[in-house]
Amino acid sequence: MRKILLVEDNEDFQLFFKLKFNELSCNSKLITFENGTSFLTHIKEIDSTDLPSIILLDLDLPDVSGFEILEAIKINPDLKKIPVIILSSSESRFDIQKSYNLNANSYVVKPIGLDEIGEFITHMHKYWVSFNMVA
């Protein structure tokens, strides 16, 4: 079973995301992290044979910024091939450019509402888990 990691501090968004993810039966396991520190601890301890298929990453986290996390992922030889999708409420050109400069694979403005979250999950899962080929 494929794993999708969601790093998101907004409890409401996390709850809606989990609800829609479970409702859609994506045949993947969703693991959530409320802050960057817990995510970085998890990713350092993960076995290279059990890497996630995708990381969904918020930029605005309370402890470690999403940019710092993205940089840590992309400089690590074992992790850098994992697709990282920035999932942020920011539409700032600066944030978008900086994310891509740090090798984010995609930048998406967070969907609002259960229907939009469900649509995002459906399309994201279909492309990044079902269609996308990884090395």
Side-chain angles (χ1 to χ4, degrees), residues 22-120:
N22 291 334
E23 181 182 301
L24 294 168
S25 301
C26 292
N27 195 28
S28 292
K29 180 179 181 181
L30 178 67
I31 302 170
T32 59
F33 300 89
E34 294 179 2
N35 60 57
T37 302
S38 62
F39 172 78
L40 289 172
T41 299
H42 172 79
I43 208 78
K44 286 178 186 173
E45 296 171 354
I46 201 165
D47 185 275
S48 62
T49 62
D50 193 32
L51 295 174
S53 297
I54 289 179
I55 298 171
L56 302 170
L57 177 62
D58 185 17
L59 292 179
D60 189 22
L61 298 168
D63 52 355
V64 180
S65 81
F67 293 124
E68 292 172 285
I69 293 170
L70 179 59
E71 190 170 25
I73 293 167
K74 294 301 182 175
I75 63 169
N76 183 315
D78 293 328
L79 306 177
K80 69 182 181 181
K81 293 179 185 176
I82 301 169
V84 178
I85 300 171
I86 301 301
L87 195 54
S88 177
S89 57
S90 171
E91 294 183 44
S92 159
R93 194 80 177 123
F94 174 82
D95 289 345
I96 295 167
Q97 288 177 338
K98 185 171 182 178
S99 296
Y100 283 117
N101 287 341
L102 292 171
N103 297 311
N105 298 87
S106 184
Y107 190 105
V108 176
V109 175
K110 281 183 191 175
I112 300 171
L114 284 173
D115 290 340
E116 287 184 9
I117 290 171
E119 187 175 339
F120 168 76

